[in-house]
Amino acid sequence: MLSVEDNQTLTRVGAGTPMGALLRRFWFPALLASEVAEPDGKPARVRLLGEDLVAFRDTEGRVGLLDEHCPHRRASLALGLNQHSGLRCLYHGWKFGVDGRCQDAPTESAGAKFCARIRTKAYPTREAGGVIWTYMGPPELQPAFPEFQWLSMPGTHAVPFKILEDCNYAQAVEGTIDSAHAGVLHKSVPWDTPGRLTHERDLVPKLEVEYTRYGLRYGAVRKFDDDRAHVRITQVVLPFYTFIPPDGAGPRKDRRLINCFVPRDDISTWHIQWFFDETQPIDVKHRIDEGGHWLDENFRKLRNIDNWYLQDREAMKTQEYAGIRGVVTQDHAVSETQGPILDRTQEHLGTSDVAIVAWRRLLLKAARALAEKGEVPPALDATLPWPTVRADTKIYPRTRTWKEEVPLSEGVTLARAPTS
Ligand SMILES: [Fe+2]
């Protein structure tokens, strides 16, 4: 449970809010590279942190991310002509480069002199892992780019997906750091049928949190058999990443999942996922079937809150507990039906929610430290060994602990628990 004030601080992301200021200090995913695949191709509209932006790839292949609205009379530049190293507004022909400089204003007699005075908002971009990234903070404070492990892998083995989630980003993050729900919401058989998988058989995992400089990691420990325990170790990287461990068995035993929840605004979120596997290519079609996230051209799920996720009440009793196709749709259904912004004053938390509580505290503390003392979050530290920060699944003797079995990687130190 949070106070009204804490809930407000956690969830509001607009410019000038404490969380909005914190998020603007990070590089984060803006859109898929495939949305602006072609030089001089169609621009893409992108809403991020409550700001309407337009992305385009210019003649030289550079990606610009500008204020969507022309600084002249505010028509959408997404209608414009992308040609000759710039985007030309359809309305009066004003033309802008990826740096936001005005290159032409054909309706103005002063020509180049007039242009020199006009500049539109432009954010820097980077391309990595099939995604265009951006930094929306003060230019002089731009941090090092996070060199996450999967960003250096070939595109066949690390594949991004983008899905619109119709709710605030924080409840979307929380839905993925809650190991206990896996054996219930995602139960692959009806409720009355005994579970097949470890997490379906043991519904009461023991969760242990370790705070680190980049956020936290937690182990969800379950009984495997009389001699061995089973742990799933999830990494939670500030501000809004969750690294989900592999299955550890079956045909995709080494496939890992990265979730990234970029606020579109206060009430909607870009759920960016990467699946990566060092041992084999990602099967994209299989993944979409498994996730159940068939989408329209605006990345909205075809099974969404308006059609109640096409929940099949007969299937709930005879086939699969949720009656909703695919794990992503199931996750989004529970997060979206919490309301556009979850009212955390009304919750009743239990022991399975410790990782959620820990993440909230960390993020609130980071936002306040920045707002009140100008303190930069440790997750921005350029020396963090990102390629070694990984989620893991392990079966190990019960005489040992999971922390002994999977120690923190070198260069990552423990951090103190935030006090609330
Ligand atoms: Fe889930």
Side-chain angles (χ1 to χ4, degrees):
M1 175 172 165
L2 287 185
S3 67
V4 172
E5 190 204 347
D6 280 355
N7 202 36
Q8 186 113 350
T9 304
L10 181 70
T11 55
R12 302 315 199 265
V13 299
T17 63
M19 196 57 72
L22 179 75
L23 300 180
R24 283 169 173 79
R25 297 296 285 270
F26 289 84
W27 279 97
F28 56 75
L31 69 159
L32 299 179
S34 57
E35 293 177 69
V36 286
E38 295 295 320
D40 290 344
K42 184 181 172 189
R45 299 170 71 204
V46 193
R47 188 166 161 81
L48 294 170
L49 307 184
E51 298 183 33
D52 288 320
L53 306 170
V54 61
F56 69 105
R57 195 181 290 274
D58 77 358
T59 313
E60 286 72 33
R62 298 170 296 206
V63 176
L65 188 62
L66 309 181
D67 183 350
E68 183 189 345
H69 301 283
C70 177
H72 177 209
R73 303 284 324 289
R74 312 291 293 155
S76 175
L77 287 173
L79 291 168
L81 174 67
N82 182 15
Q83 194 182 41
H84 306 318
S85 313
L87 188 58
R88 187 182 292 280
C89 180
L90 200 64
Y91 202 177
H92 300 89
W94 291 23
K95 184 184 168 205
F96 299 91
V98 295
D99 58 1
R101 286 180 202 275
C102 182
Q103 300 172 350
D104 192 17
T107 53
E108 289 299 319
S109 55
K113 225 167 136 192
F114 180 85
C115 283
R117 297 206 311 267
I118 307 289
R119 199 163 182 166
T120 196
K121 182 165 76 183
Y123 292 123
T125 63
R126 285 269 300 251
E127 198 164 336
V131 161
I132 308 293
W133 297 63
T134 192
Y135 167 74
M136 292 170 64
E140 68 280 10
L141 299 175
Q142 194 184 111
F145 188 80
E147 304 290 349
F148 295 127
Q149 182 199 1
W150 68 95
L151 298 182
S152 61
M153 291 173 59
T156 45
H157 289 58
V159 179
F161 298 83
K162 169 175 160 174
I163 308 144
L164 176 65
E165 189 159 1
D166 287 313
C167 63
N168 181 260
Y169 81 102
Q171 67 213 56
V173 172
E174 289 171 0
T176 62
I177 50 176
D178 164 12
S179 267
H181 90 275
V184 182
L185 175 66
H186 303 309
K187 187 170 184 179
S188 57
V189 288
W191 184 251
D192 290 335
T193 306
R196 292 185 298 126
L197 308 168
T198 306
H199 62 261
E200 294 175 347
R201 290 196 300 265
D202 181 354
L203 293 183
V204 194
K206 190 163 171 278
L207 262 61
E208 284 179 357
V209 172
E210 264 188 342
Y211 292 95
T212 65
R213 283 158 69 214
Y214 54 77
L216 60 93
R217 68 171 192 165
Y218 76 87
V221 181
R222 292 177 170 92
K223 182 181 171 183
F224 186 74
D225 57 25
D226 285 344
D227 303 321
R228 291 175 298 172
H230 177 281
V231 66
R232 286 171 61 83
I233 302 167
T234 301
Q235 301 277 3
V236 184
V237 173
L238 293 187
F240 40 47
Y241 298 90
T242 62
F243 296 11
I244 307 298
D247 287 348
R252 282 165 286 277
K253 67 183 175 53
D254 297 313
R255 186 187 62 166
R256 287 176 163 81
L257 162 61
I258 305 297
N259 286 299
C260 174
F261 298 95
V262 182
R264 182 177 175 275
D265 50 30
D266 288 347
I267 56 164
S268 60
T269 301
W270 295 121
H271 183 184
I272 310 280
Q273 296 191 312
W274 279 271
F275 281 86
F276 71 96
D277 192 329
E278 291 159 288
T279 64
Q280 60 182 340
I282 299 299
D283 182 340
V284 172
K285 188 183 170 306
H286 168 272
R287 173 54 210 165
I288 292 172
D289 284 346
E290 175 188 50
H293 50 91
W294 299 278
L295 307 174
D296 71 13
E297 67 277 14
N298 296 314
F299 299 94
R300 189 156 195 249
K301 299 178 296 294
L302 299 181
R303 294 160 186 264
N304 56 51
I305 194 167
D306 291 335
N307 56 29
W308 211 240
Y309 311 96
L310 302 182
Q311 189 179 32
D312 182 339
R313 305 211 64 94
E314 182 57 31
M316 290 172 80
K317 292 173 185 160
T318 56
Q319 293 171 42
E320 191 181 55
Y321 169 66
I324 293 172
R325 286 280 299 280
V327 283
V328 169
T329 318
Q330 291 164 4
D331 283 330
H332 284 207
V334 293
S335 296
E336 291 172 351
T337 56
Q338 288 172 324
I341 300 177
L342 166 60
D343 180 356
R344 292 176 177 76
T345 67
Q346 300 292 316
E347 294 175 321
H348 296 84
L349 297 178
T351 49
S352 72
D353 300 307
V354 290
I356 290 173
V357 171
W359 175 75
R360 289 176 187 176
R361 283 198 185 141
L362 267 186
L363 208 59
L364 283 170
K365 183 186 165 207
R368 293 208 170 106
L370 181 65
E372 291 160 16
K373 296 179 251 168
E375 248 173 49
V376 176
L380 285 170
D381 186 341
T383 66
L384 279 166
W386 287 123
T388 66
V389 177
R390 289 157 63 92
D392 266 305
T393 300
K394 276 270 185 315
I395 294 163
Y396 60 99
R398 291 174 71 178
T399 50
R400 283 169 64 81
T401 69
W402 67 271
K403 293 175 194 171
E404 289 170 336
E405 198 66 23
V406 187
L408 279 171
S409 49
E410 212 172 308
V412 174
T413 46
L414 286 176
R416 272 193 326 188
T419 46
S420 52

